[in-house]
């Protein structure tokens, strides 16, 4: 069984017992959180699609840790002009574990 859930403006495919990395959430570590914006729910026998969300369905998760992602380098260059610029950034992420999908 899996579900498509909207978390912090992005859509994720989640399954029970899986870990996912999402944009930084305002929750403490080891806290339980619920996501009620379930867009699609696939059980063994049927697929439910929300319009836009499925009423009564929610995903329960646990915040494991807050961390920073890998460094992303942005390099800009214009050839034969002597222009080079190198910037980089690291995204702030939250690692969560999906505990249950309720429907």
């Amino acid at each position: 069984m899996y579900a498509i859930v909207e978390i912090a403006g992005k859509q994720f495919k989640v399954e029970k017992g899986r870990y996912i990395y999402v944009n930084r959430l305002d929750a403490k570590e080891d806290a339980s959180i619920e996501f009620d914006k379930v867009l699609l729910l696939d059980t063994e026998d049927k697929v439910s699609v929300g319009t836009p969300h499925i009423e009564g369905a929610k995903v329960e998760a646990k915040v494991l840790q807050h961390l920073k992602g890998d460094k992303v380098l942005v390099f800009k260059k214009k050839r034969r002009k002597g222009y080079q610029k190198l910037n980089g950034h690291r995204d702030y992420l939250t690692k969560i574990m999906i505990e249950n999908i309720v429907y």
Side-chain angles (χ1 to χ4, degrees), residues 3-14 20-25 33-39 53 59 61 94 96 98:
I4 306 294
V5 182
E6 183 177 333
I7 302 172
K10 295 184 179 180
Q11 296 177 6
F12 294 94
K13 178 182 176 181
V14 297
I20 60 171
Y21 294 93
V22 298
N23 289 339
R24 181 70 56 100
L25 299 174
I33 53 177
E34 293 181 350
F35 304 107
D36 58 350
K37 293 184 179 179
V38 179
L39 304 173
H53 308 297
V59 174
T94 299
I96 62 174
I98 306 303

Side-chain angles (χ1 to χ4, degrees), residues 37-97:
K37 293 184 179 179
V38 179
L39 304 173
L40 183 136
L41 188 62
D42 181 19
T43 58
E44 290 79 22
D45 54 348
K46 71 174 192 168
V47 177
S48 301
V49 179
T51 55
H53 308 297
I54 298 174
E55 295 295 324
K58 64 182 176 180
V59 174
E60 298 171 351
K62 182 177 183 180
V63 176
L64 297 177
Q65 70 182 40
H66 298 293
L67 55 120
K68 288 173 76 172
D70 295 335
K71 182 175 256 189
V72 177
L73 295 177
V74 179
F75 182 70
K76 296 180 180 182
K77 178 183 170 118
K78 295 187 179 179
R79 60 183 201 161
R80 296 187 301 271
K81 305 296 181 200
Y83 171 78
Q84 293 184 20
K85 186 169 271 299
L86 178 67
N87 284 323
H89 67 88
R90 294 178 70 184
D91 290 333
Y92 293 100
L93 302 173
T94 299
K95 182 179 180 181
I96 62 174
M97 183 180 78

